[in-house]
């Protein structure tokens, strides 16, 4: 991601200096038609990997992809001539389809300071506008609250902290007696099992409620894309936990996961957790239905990209050509 870039204002028509627009359109076709593709027996969701090494502009790309999936292809500030020029840069015609797909963006690396991978991802999902917009009925809102409340009191990550430091105090005050009543009922209903497995029993109940909550949202929207970015930069344990959570806890029909990552770096993380002799390639193959390589662009496009990123203004065409020739020799 360029240093001075606002992810919310990136568009293929206007900001795509690497000519990745056509590639993005192919990805959207896969996303919209993935229900027709075969999956493994235990996969309900569809998982896509966008593979590229560090520094290739993966976050920049998925930021544009998010806007595109949400129906925003063109930078609204462009005039007619600028749109023609930008369309040429992105190597794709302006799309005519009007299907809008809700997207939840999650930056895994920003959250890997946390002591488990579940809570940050859960928090992002439960607060995402794409999900909250579909929860209008009291029954579904209560279902979501139930999952939040019960998980808040059972996860070890929260056990070690005061509840007020995790959830907004005003929210807790509004929950009031209802909050404690629900927990008491949950504990009484599973009292016998809890004697031996107290946290696990309540946690499984909460996960089931969360699945019902997300299934309701997907039913209303048709599908939801969850983008998970920067996973390969996370601590090995956090990265592997995130993969396992997606596969085992949030494996829901109608949810499409899009991971932007460096598959080689992620393989190293897997081996750190499971050992150097572990088959990391086979392990990762269980998670992804489709892995695609992010196009790297031509040398001219790469140089133009860095001109814009670092605000380099070179007016002379000869100077630009010299940079390109030098880069082609050494790269």
């Amino acid at each position: 991601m360029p240093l001075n870039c606002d992810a919310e204002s990136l568009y293929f028509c206007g900001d795509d200096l690497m000519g990745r627009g056509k590639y993005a359109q192919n990805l959207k076709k896969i996303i919209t038609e993935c229900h027709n593709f075969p999956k493994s027996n235990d996969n309900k969701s569809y998982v896509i990997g966008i593979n590229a090494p560090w520094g290739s502009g993966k976050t920049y790309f998925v930021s544009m992809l998010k806007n595109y999936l949400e129906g925003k292809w063109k930078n609204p500030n462009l005039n007619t001539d600028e749109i023609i020029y930008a369309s040429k840069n992105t190597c794709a015609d302006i799309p005519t389809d009007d299907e809008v797909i809700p997207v939840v963006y999650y930056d895994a690396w920003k959250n890997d300071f946390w002591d488990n991978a579940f809570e940050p991802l859960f928090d992002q999902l439960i607060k995402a506008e794409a999900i909250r917009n579909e929860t209008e009925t009291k029954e579904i809102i209560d279902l979501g609250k139930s999952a939040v409340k019960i998980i808040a009191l059972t996860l070890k990550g929260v056990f070690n902290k005061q509840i007020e430091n995790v959830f907004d105090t005003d929210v807790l005050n509004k929950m009031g007696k209802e909050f404690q009543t629900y927990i008491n009922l949950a504990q009484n209903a599973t009292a016998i099992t809890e004697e031996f497995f107290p946290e696990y029993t309540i946690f499984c109940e909460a996960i089931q409620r969360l699945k019902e909550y997300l299934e309701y949202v997907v039913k209303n929207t048709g599908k939801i894309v969850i983008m998970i970015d920067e996973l390969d930069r996370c601590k090995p344990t956090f990265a592997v936990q995130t993969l396992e959570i997606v596969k085992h806890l949030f494996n829901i029909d109608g949810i499409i996961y899009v991971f932007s990552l460096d598959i080689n770096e992620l393989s190293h993380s897997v081996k750190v957790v499971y050992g150097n002799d572990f088959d990391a390639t086979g392990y990762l193959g269980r998670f992804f239905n489709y892995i695609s390589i992010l196009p790297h662009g031509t040398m001219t496009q790469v140089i133009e990209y860095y001109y814009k990123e670092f605000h380099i203004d070179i007016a002379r065409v000869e100077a630009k050509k010299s940079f390109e020739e030098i880069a082609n020799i050494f790269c």
Side-chain angles (χ1 to χ4, degrees):
M1 172 75 75
L3 300 177
N4 299 311
C5 170
D6 177 7
E8 293 297 322
S9 61
L10 290 175
Y11 306 88
F12 281 105
C13 186
D15 299 293
D16 181 16
L17 301 178
M18 306 292 282
R20 290 165 170 168
K22 191 66 177 177
Y23 171 73
Q25 291 178 351
N26 289 335
L27 275 182
K28 183 176 181 180
K29 187 174 182 180
I30 291 171
I31 289 170
T32 55
E33 298 180 6
C34 66
H35 57 280
N36 296 321
F37 303 153
K39 304 174 188 175
S40 60
N41 292 333
D42 59 346
N43 262 1
K44 294 181 180 179
S45 56
Y46 196 82
V47 186
I48 296 171
I50 299 174
N51 181 29
W54 290 348
S56 300
K58 293 190 295 296
T59 297
Y60 192 96
F61 173 78
V62 296
S63 298
M64 292 189 293
L65 181 62
K66 179 179 183 296
N67 272 336
Y68 168 40
L69 294 177
E70 293 176 336
K72 294 169 283 189
W73 175 265
K74 295 184 296 183
N75 187 322
N77 298 317
L78 299 183
N79 60 40
T80 302
D81 290 338
E82 289 171 332
I83 289 174
I84 294 172
Y85 178 77
S87 295
K88 182 179 179 181
N89 268 353
T90 199
C91 301
D93 295 329
I94 295 174
T96 56
D97 65 277
D98 57 359
E99 181 176 2
V100 174
I101 304 172
V103 179
V104 178
Y105 175 81
Y106 174 67
D107 187 336
W109 190 42
K110 283 186 177 179
N111 292 283
D112 86 333
F113 66 90
W114 204 246
D115 53 6
N116 70 73
F118 178 86
E119 290 174 50
L121 179 57
F122 170 82
D123 180 67
Q124 189 71 29
L125 289 178
I126 216 75
K127 293 192 302 187
E129 182 178 355
I131 290 177
R132 286 190 291 109
N133 285 348
E134 298 300 327
T135 56
E136 298 177 354
T137 68
K138 183 179 185 303
E139 180 182 359
I140 295 302
I141 291 173
D142 288 344
L143 185 62
K145 284 183 178 179
S146 296
V148 173
K149 288 185 286 188
I150 200 165
I151 289 174
L153 291 186
T154 55
L155 284 180
K156 288 183 178 179
V158 180
F159 270 153
N160 296 332
K161 306 166 185 68
Q162 289 187 5
I163 192 74
E164 291 82 2
N165 293 335
V166 181
F167 292 95
D168 187 85
T169 305
D170 291 338
V171 174
L172 289 176
N173 289 337
K174 290 178 183 178
M175 289 180 176
K177 293 182 180 179
E178 179 200 352
F179 183 90
Q180 191 58 50
T181 300
Y182 182 88
I183 299 303
N184 290 340
L185 288 173
Q187 291 175 336
N188 292 336
T190 56
I192 297 176
T193 311
E194 284 180 27
E195 184 177 348
F196 301 99
F197 310 105
E199 294 174 33
Y200 180 77
T201 301
I202 303 178
F203 181 77
C204 288
E205 170 69 15
I207 291 300
Q208 182 56 39
R209 287 179 173 273
L210 179 59
K211 281 187 175 181
E212 293 171 11
Y213 178 67
L214 293 176
E215 285 167 356
Y216 171 86
V217 175
V218 171
K219 182 179 178 180
N220 276 17
T221 60
K223 58 176 61 71
I224 289 179
V225 171
I226 299 176
M227 291 182 172
I228 299 181
D229 194 17
E230 304 275 28
L231 190 66
D232 50 315
R233 299 181 71 179
C234 294
K235 293 178 297 189
T237 52
F238 192 93
V240 172
Q241 280 180 13
T242 301
L243 287 172
E244 295 284 359
I245 286 165
V246 166
K247 181 172 179 61
H248 297 296
L249 301 186
F250 297 144
N251 184 17
I252 297 170
D253 190 24
I255 293 183
I256 299 97
Y257 293 93
V258 176
F259 285 85
S260 64
L261 45 78
D262 182 336
I263 202 76
N264 289 327
E265 292 298 328
L266 191 57
S267 296
H268 294 317
S269 294
V270 172
K271 289 188 175 184
V272 168
V273 175
Y274 289 110
N276 286 329
D277 296 330
F278 187 75
D279 180 12
T281 302
Y283 172 85
L284 291 174
R286 293 167 39 216
F287 294 97
F288 295 98
N289 299 99
Y290 178 76
I291 298 178
S292 177
I293 298 175
L294 182 68
H296 54 71
T298 66
M299 189 56 65
T300 299
Q301 289 170 325
V302 171
I303 290 174
E304 289 286 350
Y305 175 89
Y306 280 105
Y307 284 157
K308 184 172 182 178
E309 176 175 353
F310 295 107
H311 308 288
I312 300 172
D313 185 15
I314 299 180
R316 293 180 60 187
V317 176
E318 296 81 1
K320 287 188 176 182
K321 287 183 177 179
S322 297
F323 278 124
E324 292 172 21
E325 290 174 4
I326 294 170
N328 282 319
I329 291 172
F330 290 99
C331 296

